[in-house]
Amino acid sequence: MLFNPTPLEKLTTLINDLLEKQVALKEELESLRIESASMRENEESKDAEIQRLHGALASKDEEIKMLNDDLAAKDAEIEAIVAKIESLLG
C-alpha cells in the first residue's frame, strides 16, 4: 500500500525540516561570530605589534642619524689633522 500523506502531515514534515535548518543556521552563525571575534582580536594584536615595530624603527633611525653625525664630526677632525700634516710637510 502506498503512503499518501495528508496536507497536515506534509506541513508537519516541512515545519520540522525548517526547524532543523534554523538550528543548523543558528549554529553556523554562532561559529561565524566566534571566528569573526577571533579575527578581530588577531588584527588588533597585529596592529599593536606593528605600532611597536614602528616605534622601534623610529628609535633605530634616530640612533643611525646620531651615529652619522658623529662620523661626520670625526671625518671633519681627520680632515683638519690631515690638512695640518700637509701644511707641515709643505
Side-chain angles (χ1 to χ4, degrees):
M1 179 170 173
L2 293 174
F3 178 66
N4 190 11
T6 65
L8 182 58
E9 291 171 331
K10 286 181 185 178
L11 183 59
T12 301
T13 301
L14 289 173
I15 289 173
N16 287 335
D17 289 348
L18 285 173
L19 289 173
E20 287 174 15
K21 254 187 198 176
Q22 181 187 22
V23 168
L25 288 172
K26 278 184 178 181
E27 289 171 357
E28 183 179 353
L29 179 61
E30 184 59 26
S31 173
L32 289 172
R33 282 184 182 146
I34 291 169
E35 183 180 345
S36 175
S38 174
M39 290 173 81
R40 269 194 301 272
E41 288 173 14
N42 191 22
E43 181 182 343
E44 289 170 2
S45 156
K46 289 192 184 288
D47 286 346
E49 179 67 7
I50 288 169
Q51 290 301 320
R52 185 190 68 75
L53 291 172
H54 275 294
L57 182 60
S59 173
K60 288 295 179 185
D61 284 346
E62 186 61 32
E63 185 179 334
I64 289 170
K65 183 185 179 308
M66 288 178 6
L67 290 172
N68 281 338
D69 292 346
D70 288 346
L71 287 174
K74 297 285 185 196
D75 283 346
E77 287 178 32
I78 291 170
E79 286 185 25
I81 292 170
V82 168
K84 286 181 184 178
I85 292 171
E86 286 175 343
S87 72
L88 290 174
L89 294 176

